Amino acid sequence: LTTTSSLSRNKSFGLEIAKGRAPKEIIDSQRSVVEGYKTTEAAFKLAEKYHIKANLFSGVYDILYREEDPRRVLKKLMRLPISQVE
């Protein structure tokens, strides 16, 4: 349900972000928990603690916690080189 259902709190949250609403404003107006919001912070901090390169988590963190423009973050992520797995 997280990405496909209109009942998904995470999907609804993401759609509101896409409309330009501030993450904190959305969270404060919710009566239910948006798990992805807090999970993003936890994943970002773990990657930082263990020196793991996690560009996607960093980008989502920048959008949700630093209120960076999602379009700018997406463009930045799309410019990163593709890593090759051996």
Side-chain angles (χ1 to χ4, degrees):
L1 291 177
T2 295
T3 59
T4 59
S5 173
S6 60
L7 300 175
S8 166
R9 294 170 295 212
N10 287 313
K11 180 180 178 180
S12 299
F13 179 69
L15 290 172
E16 291 301 311
I17 295 290
K19 290 177 186 176
R21 286 185 66 196
K24 187 75 171 130
E25 173 191 346
I26 301 165
I27 293 297
D28 290 346
S29 70
Q30 298 281 327
R31 290 191 315 166
S32 57
V33 174
V34 179
E35 299 91 349
Y37 181 73
K38 291 194 177 204
T39 301
T40 297
E41 182 179 32
F44 174 80
K45 287 183 176 181
L46 280 171
E48 196 173 52
K49 178 179 179 178
Y50 293 105
H51 308 288
I52 298 168
K53 188 175 182 179
N55 294 319
L56 188 55
F57 285 127
S58 295
V60 174
Y61 182 86
D62 288 345
I63 293 166
L64 299 183
Y65 289 89
R66 295 181 177 141
E67 295 191 23
E68 291 193 27
D69 180 4
R71 291 174 295 253
R72 192 187 76 66
V73 172
L74 182 59
K75 285 179 186 176
K76 184 172 93 175
L77 289 170
M78 296 299 287
R79 285 190 205 109
L80 294 172
I82 297 173
S83 298
Q84 296 198 8
V85 178
E86 295 182 33

